[in-house]
């Protein structure tokens, strides 16, 4: 493998890794606020992609289709929380997790009925003339993906560290009862977490659609990889989730280059199993997020 | 010089409980509790583990829903309100075991204390924080440290400071002396008395009857979910506390080497 090829695989790894990072962020936000693993997270990514494609095909300009997709998934995520998660609040986390499995099946089926079974493309956001970097080629879409991911991560950091509402969300993750005693509405924090996690996932889905197509069943694999990335970083830590996503993407890219593209999807499974066997708290899980 | 309260001291009843019953599942913990707390008063409820003291505070705060009865703040009914609505009305609790946000900094913990005041008129949170720092200068030194790294005494100071950020009319304290060295307890109780002298109403539940009665104006003894005795703190202190505590239900009394009785130390069941 030459240096150029190596760089090429790294680029492709970072692109896919950014999408995994956004999906992993979605998992982490919901898990932090509620202790729930949202098995429908991948379906929200898929829905973001297919909604953008659907709106674009309906004649909307690409930027509007992108924003429209975020709004659609936002509405779906809020309805999901209101109809499936909130009524089960008293039944405990397990019942809620099972509800997310049900939601993932429902979303997948709905997507198949709306958009059919075929994988659909979306044009790249700003053309597809590659940029040459040190002999390797970088598509403009990669820059969109990486740039948007950076903006989202910075915005989340700002939200969690600098705003009172963000601090209230962190307080709820640590000690929901004490947060309520300070006047924080736990129900609102849960709703907010689902909403933000939905929008972030949708952004990932809409941005990856021009790179790898999107079909009703794409969510399962995206969800699994996002989950593997979140677990690798240590569930509950947003920055570690991003690191986990990028690591997974780059490892996949290198596996394609060094071994065979057939093994690409196996990497996530192997990482997931290794983490669960060897270091269940994740790479940065020294401090496990304490939940009541 | 009312730092944390907006009304002048008077003899009005601030908090009024009538016929309060509450529990968990089918287990009744509070049986017909009546209580009046006047403005500017320090009232303490003492009793052994599992007598229902913590449940009483949780019920007032709205964490536990009452089965029956009345909870009124200055005539306004609190029954049926959510926890966050009770806090917003000025009934603020310092929970048992501090319950700080450990991975957040001291300053962030204090900021969250003012969460219920956000968007409302009143003094800015920064001013209130300065006042908390005047009361507990050690918190200022450690404002950027994670709350989990503080000593037990500092954590209790932070828990009280965090509650003060909500501008309480009534401050509920659940076992503020628990797990702390006597000197630290003295320091914190001195601050509580100072706050009271500025007009803050306090209701504290304590297992350590001696220290609670040394602070309070009035004491009530709770046993198996009922108030079984009520008197001025001085007369309760003068009375044989052991017989107050164990005269009805019987209980275990350990005697330390120097001959002083100490109360059974078991984790509270509720």
């Amino acid at each position: 493998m030459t240096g150029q090829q190596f760089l090429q695989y790294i680029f492709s790894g970072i692109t896919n890794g950014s999408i995994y990072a956004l999906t992993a962020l979605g998992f982490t936000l919901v898990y932090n606020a509620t202790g729930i693993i949202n098995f429908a997270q991948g379906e929200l990514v898929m829905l973001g992609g297919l909604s953008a494609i659907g709106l674009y095909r309906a004649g909307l300009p690409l930027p509007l289709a992108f924003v429209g997709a975020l709004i659609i998934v936002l509405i779906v995520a809020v309805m999901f929380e209101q109809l499936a998660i909130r009524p089960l609040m008293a039944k405990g986390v397990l019942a809620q997790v099972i509800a997310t499995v049900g939601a993932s099946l429902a979303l997948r089926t709905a997507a198949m009925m709306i958009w059919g079974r075929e994988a659909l493309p979306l044009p790249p956001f700003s053309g597809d003339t590659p940029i040459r970097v040190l002999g390797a080629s970088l598509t403009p879409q990669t820059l969109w993906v990486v740039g948007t991911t950076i903006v989202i991560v910075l915005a989340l950091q700002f939200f969690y560290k600098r705003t009172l509402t963000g601090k209230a969300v962190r307080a709820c993750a640590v000690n929901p009862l004490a947060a309520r005693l300070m006047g924080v509405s736990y129900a609102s924090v849960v709703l907010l977490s689902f909403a933000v996690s939905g929008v972030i996932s949708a952004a990932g889905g809409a941005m990856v659609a021009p790179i790898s197509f999107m079909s009703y069943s794409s969510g399962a694999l995206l969800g699994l990889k996002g989950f593997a990335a979140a677990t690798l970083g240590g569930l509950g830590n947003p920055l570690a989730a991003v690191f986990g996503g990028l690591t997974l993407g780059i490892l996949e890219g290198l596996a394609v280059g060094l071994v065979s593209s057939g093994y690409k999807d196996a990497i996530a499974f192997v990482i997931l199993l290794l983490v669960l066997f060897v270091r269940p708290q994740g790479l940065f899980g020294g401090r496990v997020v304490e939940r009541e | 010089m009312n730092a944390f309260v907006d009304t002048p001291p008077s003899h009005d009843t601030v908090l009024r409980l009538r016929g309060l019953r509450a529990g968990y599942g089918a287990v009744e913990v509070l049986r017909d509790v009546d209580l009046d707390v006047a403005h500017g008063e320090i009232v303490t409820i003492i009793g052994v583990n599992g007598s229902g003291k913590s449940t009483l505070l949780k019920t007032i705060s709205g964490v536990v829903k009452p089965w029956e009865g009345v909870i009124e703040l200055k005539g306004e009914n609190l029954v049926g309100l959510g926890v966050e609505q009770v806090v917003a009305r000025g009934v603020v609790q310092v929970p048992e075991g501090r319950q700080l946000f450990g991975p957040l900094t001291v300053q962030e913990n204090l900021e969250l204390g003012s969460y219920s005041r956000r968007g409302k008129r009143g003094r800015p949170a920064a001013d209130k924080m300065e006042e908390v720092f005047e009361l507990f200068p050690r918190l200022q030194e450690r404002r950027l440290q994670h709350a989990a790294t503080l000593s037990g005494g500092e954590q209790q100071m932070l828990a009280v400071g965090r509650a003060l950020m909500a501008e309480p009319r009534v401050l509920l304290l659940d076992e503020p002396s628990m797990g702390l060295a006597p000197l630290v307890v003295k320091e914190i109780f001195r601050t509580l008395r100072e706050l009271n002298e500025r007009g803050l109403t306090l209701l504290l539940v304590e297992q350590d009857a001696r220290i609670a009665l040394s602070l309070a104006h009035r004491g009530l003894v709770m046993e198996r979910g009922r108030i079984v005795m009520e008197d001025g703190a001085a007369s309760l202190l003068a009375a044989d506390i052991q017989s107050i505590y164990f005269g009805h239900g019987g209980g275990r009394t350990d005697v330390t080497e120097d001959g002083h009785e100490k109360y059974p130390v078991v984790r509270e069941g509720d």
Side-chain angles (χ1 to χ4, degrees):
Chain A
M1 185 162 71
T2 66
Q4 284 173 15
Q5 282 173 320
F6 181 78
L7 200 58
Q8 194 66 59
Y9 295 129
I10 296 283
F11 282 164
S12 127
I14 289 176
T15 312
N16 287 327
S18 297
I19 304 301
Y20 305 154
L22 292 180
T23 317
L25 267 179
F27 274 109
T28 298
L29 297 186
V30 167
Y31 178 81
N32 255 354
T34 61
I36 297 171
I37 307 284
N38 179 11
F39 279 98
Q41 201 71 51
E43 271 64 33
L44 295 176
V45 179
M46 171 274 288
L47 195 62
L50 283 179
S51 301
I53 292 168
L55 291 173
Y56 178 71
R57 293 190 156 195
L60 253 59
L62 204 46
L64 277 186
F66 180 77
V67 173
L70 301 192
I71 293 171
I72 289 175
V73 177
L74 170 69
I75 293 168
V76 170
V78 165
M79 280 173 58
F80 170 44
E81 195 275 339
Q82 293 282 308
L83 300 176
I85 299 298
R86 180 154 308 183
L88 293 173
M89 207 59 102
K91 302 266 187 215
V93 166
L94 183 61
Q96 293 172 317
V97 170
I98 291 170
T100 71
V101 176
S104 84
L105 292 174
L107 286 175
R108 205 177 300 175
T109 311
M112 189 184 73
M113 287 160 69
I114 298 171
W115 289 287
R117 292 169 165 277
E118 269 166 51
L120 303 174
L122 187 70
F125 291 6
S126 47
D128 46 10
T129 319
I131 305 156
R132 306 298 293 183
V133 180
L134 299 173
S137 70
L138 198 58
T139 64
Q141 191 65 23
T142 295
L143 295 179
W144 274 108
V145 171
V146 175
T148 310
T149 305
I150 291 172
V151 169
I152 287 174
V153 169
L154 290 179
L156 275 182
Q157 274 305 99
F158 179 83
F159 173 69
Y160 278 122
K161 297 279 183 192
R162 297 268 176 266
T163 69
L164 189 59
T165 310
K167 287 169 192 172
V169 175
R170 283 162 64 209
C172 269
V174 181
N175 191 330
L177 176 63
R180 287 172 69 206
L181 285 173
M182 297 300 109
V184 177
S185 159
Y186 181 57
S188 310
V189 166
V190 173
L191 179 62
L192 179 72
S193 301
F194 269 89
V196 173
S197 130
V199 171
I200 291 176
S201 300
M207 285 190 306
V208 80
I211 296 171
S212 62
F213 290 52
M214 194 61 80
S215 81
Y216 78 100
S217 61
S218 303
L221 203 53
L222 284 166
L224 177 93
K225 291 184 177 177
F227 181 63
T231 315
L232 178 63
L235 259 179
N237 180 346
L239 278 185
V242 173
F243 177 86
L246 290 175
T247 308
L248 177 59
I250 290 172
L251 286 178
E252 272 189 10
L254 292 177
V256 170
L258 296 172
V259 194
S260 146
S261 57
Y263 288 109
K264 184 186 168 215
D265 292 335
I267 295 285
F269 286 96
V270 172
I271 286 183
L272 188 54
L273 290 176
L274 275 180
V275 169
L276 293 178
F277 280 131
V278 180
R279 200 173 160 80
Q281 73 273 41
L283 289 181
F284 302 96
R287 112 183 143 66
V288 172
V289 174
E290 229 174 272
R291 298 200 50 82
E292 284 237 313
Chain B
M1 163 81 199
N2 277 340
F4 294 104
V5 275
D6 43 10
T7 44
S10 71
H11 291 288
D12 301 341
T13 299
V14 180
L15 193 63
R16 180 171 170 270
L17 312 185
R18 284 293 176 275
L20 196 62
R21 294 176 61 231
Y24 305 95
V27 183
E28 187 174 14
V29 179
L30 299 181
R31 305 157 200 256
D32 199 20
V33 175
D34 292 351
L35 174 68
D36 286 295
V37 180
H39 186 92
E41 219 184 357
I42 306 181
V43 176
T44 184
I45 298 172
I46 53 182
V48 292
N49 288 312
S51 56
K53 310 184 301 291
S54 282
T55 305
L56 179 63
L57 292 197
K58 283 183 184 150
T59 310
I60 297 172
S61 280
V63 178
V64 172
K65 297 289 162 214
W67 295 354
E68 211 183 304
V70 175
I71 307 173
E72 278 176 6
L73 176 74
K74 290 232 168 200
E76 188 194 359
N77 181 27
L78 296 185
V79 174
L81 294 185
V83 180
E84 58 268 18
Q85 292 163 307
V86 174
V87 183
R89 280 162 178 72
V91 180
V92 183
Q93 185 176 154
V94 180
E96 185 182 356
R98 274 77 88 173
Q99 310 291 343
L100 297 173
F101 307 117
L104 277 64
T105 64
V106 169
Q107 193 170 333
E108 287 173 329
N109 271 272
L110 290 174
E111 285 169 25
L112 282 164
S114 69
Y115 190 89
S116 61
R117 312 296 307 169
R118 80 197 185 294
K120 292 192 181 140
R121 278 184 299 152
R123 284 156 341 95
D127 290 6
K128 279 183 282 174
M129 200 179 295
E130 284 310 312
E131 283 170 14
V132 171
F133 286 151
E134 273 167 38
L135 286 171
F136 303 112
R138 275 200 269 172
L139 293 182
Q140 181 158 32
E141 291 163 28
R142 302 182 188 282
R143 63 198 296 169
L144 298 178
Q145 261 177 253
H146 289 183
T149 64
L150 301 182
S151 72
E154 289 162 350
Q155 291 197 4
Q156 187 63 62
M157 293 173 193
L158 180 53
V160 172
R162 186 179 64 174
L164 292 177
M165 294 292 292
E167 297 184 41
R169 302 161 87 173
V170 181
L171 190 63
L172 312 174
L173 297 124
D174 195 347
E175 304 266 5
S177 77
M178 194 169 72
L180 299 182
L183 266 179
V184 180
V185 175
K186 252 189 187 157
E187 192 183 337
I188 290 171
F189 275 37
R190 198 182 314 130
T191 310
L192 290 177
R193 188 189 302 280
E194 199 183 316
L195 288 166
N196 171 255
E197 280 160 6
R198 296 187 201 173
L200 182 61
T201 307
L202 301 178
L203 173 60
L204 74 150
V205 307
E206 265 291 350
Q207 229 184 131
D208 191 330
R210 258 179 252 274
I211 188 130
L213 291 171
S214 71
L215 175 71
H217 303 126
R218 201 150 59 85
L220 296 93
V221 179
M222 197 162 188
E223 194 182 276
R224 293 185 198 164
R226 285 195 178 85
I227 307 278
V228 293
M229 186 176 284
E230 176 179 351
D231 208 340
S235 23
L236 273 183
L237 254 186
D240 185 353
I241 296 171
Q242 285 297 308
S243 70
I244 295 171
Y245 255 62
F246 304 119
H248 309 268
R252 189 170 62 91
T253 310
D254 295 341
V255 179
T256 54
E257 288 97 336
D258 54 355
H260 288 108
E261 300 92 347
K262 70 178 186 200
Y263 304 113
V265 235
V266 193
R267 284 283 304 159
E268 186 137 353
D270 57 8

